[in-house]
Structures are given as C-alpha cells and as structure tokens.
Amino acid sequence: MQRRKVTLKLYPNAAQAARLEDWTRLHCELYNAALEERIDAWRKEGKSISSFDQQNVLPQIKADRPEFIALGSHALQQTLRRLDLAFAAFFRRVKAGQTPGFPRFKSSMRFSGFAYPDPAGWKLMQHGGRGATLRLGSGEAAMSIRARGRHRFGDQAKPNDITLTRKGGGWFVSVTLRVPDAACARERTADFRRGVDFGINDWATFDEGPPIANPRWLREELPHLAALQRQRARKKNGSLRFKRLGRRIARLHDRIGNLRRDFVQKETTRMVRQCAVLATEQLAPKTMSRSAKGTVDAPGRRVRQKAGLNREILSAGFGMVHRMLAYKAEEAGTRLHLSHTRQLKPSQRCAACWELVPKTLAQRVHGCPHCGHTAPRDQNSAMVVLIDAFNTQDTSGTGVAARPKPLPRQRGKSKSVTRETPATTPCV
Ligand SMILES: [Zn+2]
C-alpha cells in the first residue's frame, strides 16, 4: 500500500461556496480560541495544554454552539492538531537558535481551509472521465459539490483523507489515496542510461542528445508581474484598487505555479519512462540560492546578478523536480542515482580524464587542458554524473570518496566512456 496525493478543483454553487466560507470561519474561530486558551493557561498558571486536552472540550462547544456540529468532530480535532503543529514548529526553531514568530491569531480571510483526517464525514465519487462529486457533511447540512480532476490509479485506490483549501478565490480538495503497489507501477518504454544536469540556461541537459529548453515562465511573466506590482505600489494601501491589483498579482503567481508544475510533471514522467538508469546530482537549493548581499562588513559581489539567478533557480523548481523523480523512478523501476555534488564536483570535472578543471559560472564550455576533451559545460557534467552512477552501486550515490581509484584515462569522445563501462545492476 502506498500513499499518493491528488488535487481536484471544486465547483461549488453559490450556496455551497457560502457554506464552505462559513465552515472555514468556524474552524478559524476554533483555532484562535484554542490558541488564546493556551496562552492564558501559560500566563496564569504556567501550564501548557495539548490538543488532547482541548479535544475534550469539543462536545461542550458543540452543545453551546450547534453550528459546529455540521463540521464533524474529526475535522474539528484536526484543526486543533494544526495548532499543535504550529507550536511544535515554533519550539523546534527556538531550540535550533532561530527567532521564529509566535503562533499567530489568524483572520478568517487568511485561514486556508480545513481537513478531514480519516474517511468519515465525506465521500468522494469518481464518475469516469474527469468528473467527480465530493459529498461533505451529513443530514441537513450535507452538500454534494461538483469536482473536476482525475488520477491514474483506477478503482483500487481508496481515498483516505482530504484537505479543503481556498486559493485565489477558488476551492480545491487535496485527496490522499491509499494505492496498492501494483497500481502505482509505471510502464517503461525504453531502457536508456542517462546523465542529466538541471540548469537555468537549459532546463535539462543530457549526456547526449538535445537538451530540454527552459520554458522560462518567469522570464515571460516577470515584466508583467513587475508592472502590476509597480501599479499597486502607487495605490493607497488597503484601497479598493490596491486590493484589486493584489488579486491580479495573486492570480498571476498561481498561473506561473500551475504552468511550472504541469511542465515538471510531464518531463519527469517522460524521463523515468525512458530510462533504466537516471543519474543527476544531489540538490542543495539553500546554498545555491543563498543571498549574495553578504553583510555590512563583507558585502557580496554581483548582488543583482545573483539575485536574478536566485529567482531563476527558484522558478525552475529543482526541489519539485527531485521529489517527483524520486517517487516516479521507484514506480517505473528506474535506478535514480544522485551524485554527491561537493565530492564529485560534476561541473568542474572532466568526463574524459576525471581531472578537475575549475571554471566560473560564465564559462559555458568545458575545455580540458589535461586531455583536450571539449564539450558543452552542462553536457560534460551530465556525463560525469552518469559515469559516477556506474562507479557506485548504491542508489544514494557516494561520489568520489567511495571510489577506490579514479577511472583509467581515456581519450577521445566522452560518448565512448559510458558505453564501454560495464553496466551495474540495472534496477535496485
Ligand atoms: Zn580531461
């Protein structure tokens, strides 16, 4: 059994939308009341309360305020647990020496939604094609909301829990499915062995063959976004026009996010379907996108360029790429190899002779002074991680440190290097 998440868009009618808003407001009220109770208990008695203590009060609340009954007890408990999570995150960060903000009271406008933690109080019916119906609540308060979206797991997938969220004026339901392993499997159409380098000039460069160009959603949409933000900056804060522009900006952000997710979903699926071995480097987006500003004493260099680069890095969504590749590779029986970036230094290493050839980010071509091998920079690093995948047996990738001795020197085209390297076990 495995867990998979799918998101469906909801199409509530006006009455249903109003009720969803009402329910969100009540959940928010509960959240704020629970937060206040915790703060009071701590101030007055130095006592901390958990969500379990607070759950016990729920029946009393429902007796006093019957409008809470329709929300379902488990959904209410889930909102209390959400507060627990907020506190847990707060204390974890305090412990780590950071200075987090204390869990906040939320306005119902900002409260994102609510969740049902188990298969009770709701039912999701799939109608074939893309149509579905979500039935919420019971008795008089029950409502059947039209939904759109589908998943590929068929009838064996059982919905386990749902989260309803409000985003950009629309409602979405995120469903966790329990799927039998067999239904998760993906068919593979080819058994290529590929090294891939994810970048910002091209989105993905392979050890051979054409790269996948970067669609650059952000570059195309960014001037538009910036213009809207400038317009909003001229409006009076909180005015009608200010809010209207705020909504347009939010919608544009959503649009960019949707385009990105769609693109990455399709490309990662294609990769794992075609490859028996897929090698790439481990990811460290935090260090890659670290602020270039530096400090007052040691100001950074090329701050503007680095800021633009950060934006591109984040927009390309490599974290998302790796998460998708990880589970999709497992589903397709593809061996995903992640090279240790700092040990291996794929962008600095020569794929033909394995010597380190330092270059700056601006140098787009790898030219090796040791063996004369030249290749486009990204293609060279894709080749290096692919070789690394053959040299290390485990999927996690251990890189240079684990290698007993460097590869024998080889001359000529890098292509021959991989093809002649004996294959390791294809799948793990
Ligand atoms: Zn070389």
Side-chain angles (χ1 to χ4, degrees), residues 350 352-353 368 370-371 373:
C350 177
C353 70
C368 181
H370 306 284
C371 70
H373 173 66

Side-chain angles (χ1 to χ4, degrees), residues 349-355 357 366-373 409-410:
R349 196 171 290 280
C350 177
C353 70
W354 218 249
E355 295 290 334
V357 184
H366 166 82
C368 181
H370 306 284
C371 70
H373 173 66
R409 279 173 177 263
Q410 296 200 29

Side-chain angles (χ1 to χ4, degrees), residues 166-184:
R166 181 178 42 182
K167 202 173 153 197
W171 281 93
F172 296 86
V173 60
S174 167
V175 189
T176 308
L177 301 164
R178 294 168 66 81
V179 191
D181 294 353
C184 282

Side-chain angles (χ1 to χ4, degrees), residues 151-214:
H151 55 79
R152 64 183 186 90
F153 305 110
D155 299 335
Q156 297 143 296
K158 297 278 172 272
N160 186 65
D161 55 87
I162 57 170
T163 304
L164 285 108
T165 43
R166 181 178 42 182
K167 202 173 153 197
W171 281 93
F172 296 86
V173 60
S174 167
V175 189
T176 308
L177 301 164
R178 294 168 66 81
V179 191
D181 294 353
C184 282
R186 284 168 195 268
E187 223 178 304
R188 239 189 14 241
T189 54
D191 290 332
F192 292 126
R193 299 167 192 150
R194 284 279 164 83
V196 55
D197 180 85
F198 293 102
I200 42 179
N201 294 294
D202 281 317
W203 180 72
T205 309
F206 297 96
D207 54 294
E208 57 171 44
I212 301 173
N214 210 326

